Amino acid sequence: MRQLIAGNWKMNGLLEASAALAGALRRGADGLDCDIVICPPATMLMTVAHVLVGSPVEIGGQDCHAKASGAHTGDVSAAMLRDAGARWVIVGHSERRADHGETSAQVRAKAIAAMAAGLTPIVCVGETEAQRVSGDALSVVGTQLAESLPEGFAGVVAYEPVWAIGTGKTATEDDVRAMHAHIRTCIGAGPRILYGGSVKASNAASLLAVPEVGGALVGGASLVVEDFLAIAKAANRG
Ligand code: 13P
């Protein structure tokens, strides 16, 4: 299966610079043999979608509400994301699980809402440093998957060890191999399994070559077009 390189811009950028970044990505993405998705902040979706019309680069949201509409001040529904041009949405990112206390049950409800609205959910899982040190990484992630993925899941799983996000530390290839094999056993054949956590141009090729790694979810390096394209080229293996 083609690998998927997804950029999570998180809460960064303003419209003008983001449109320029999307434009540069559009120009650089020609001929790449992988799927590319970028997830800008919600206020930028329409602008970025406009820049990317006719391009193979697709866009996603960074979160959605589990309900279709209603009295949920400040939230954005999956249908609103789709309406703005998104085809994907990240749900259950560890920053949302930590900052907003999101539970796996809520993540599951969001994944259901995303699929109902015609979006492909990218469901994030991953252990903390303490959980890895205590030897619980596999069981923690297994539980997150069991509780976060709905019946009939038609999306992507992103394994992002919390301690590797924004820290410059990455999981070893052996750890990634073991975790991705475990996730495959838990979820069965089908969904792509992305690795995320300090993916850079310099480590992308080795991480993307690990069995069962179906792509990458990239934070910081997705804000620098040369770095993001270099990661996408590392996935360029058909
Ligand atoms: P970094 O690539 O900045 O470590 O972020 C990873 C991430 O959280 C992507 O969702």
Side-chain angles (χ1 to χ4, degrees):
M1 197 187 295
R2 269 160 79 89
Q3 290 189 316
L4 167 65
I5 306 299
N8 176 6
W9 290 5
K10 306 193 180 183
M11 195 173 71
N12 290 295
L14 294 173
L15 274 180
E16 197 177 332
S18 300
L21 178 57
L25 190 59
R26 179 191 177 115
R27 290 189 291 280
D30 255 4
L32 287 175
D33 196 15
C34 62
D35 295 331
I36 302 191
V37 173
I38 50 173
C39 300
T43 57
M44 296 169 199
L45 283 175
M46 282 184 64
T47 301
V48 170
H50 185 69
V51 171
L52 293 174
V53 167
S55 151
V57 178
E58 296 194 319
I59 65 173
Q62 298 179 9
D63 176 52
C64 65
H65 198 277
K67 293 271 166 49
S69 63
H72 303 288
T73 303
D75 278 309
V76 174
S77 75
M80 290 171 184
L81 295 176
R82 170 119 191 153
D83 195 34
R87 293 294 174 267
W88 304 73
V89 62
I90 298 169
V91 291
H93 192 282
S94 61
E95 287 154 12
R96 293 205 59 87
R97 290 179 188 259
D99 294 354
H100 300 274
E102 279 186 15
T103 64
S104 289
Q106 288 170 319
V107 174
R108 183 175 180 279
K110 290 179 178 205
I112 291 170
M115 292 190 296
L119 299 177
T120 303
I122 301 173
V123 177
C124 301
V125 294
E127 81 286 357
T128 63
E129 183 148 42
Q131 289 164 335
R132 175 152 289 271
V133 169
S134 63
D136 295 326
L138 294 179
S139 69
V140 164
V141 167
T143 302
Q144 287 176 338
L145 289 167
E147 294 176 354
S148 304
L149 299 188
E151 289 288 312
F153 178 65
V156 172
V157 169
Y159 167 57
E160 298 204 302
V162 176
W163 48 270
I165 295 176
T167 59
K169 297 187 211 169
T170 47
T172 65
E173 285 167 41
D174 280 349
D175 287 342
V176 174
R177 182 181 300 110
M179 182 60 84
H180 280 237
H182 175 63
I183 294 172
R184 179 61 69 210
T185 307
C186 294
I187 68 176
R192 282 183 281 201
I193 308 167
L194 312 184
Y195 171 80
S198 297
V199 176
K200 303 187 272 282
S202 56
N203 60 22
S206 54
L207 288 164
L208 288 165
V210 173
E212 294 296 357
V213 171
L217 182 53
V218 183
S222 71
L223 297 169
V224 181
V225 73
E226 297 78 18
D227 292 356
F228 191 59
L229 286 170
I231 293 167
K233 282 187 184 122
N236 204 356
R237 60 189 167 103

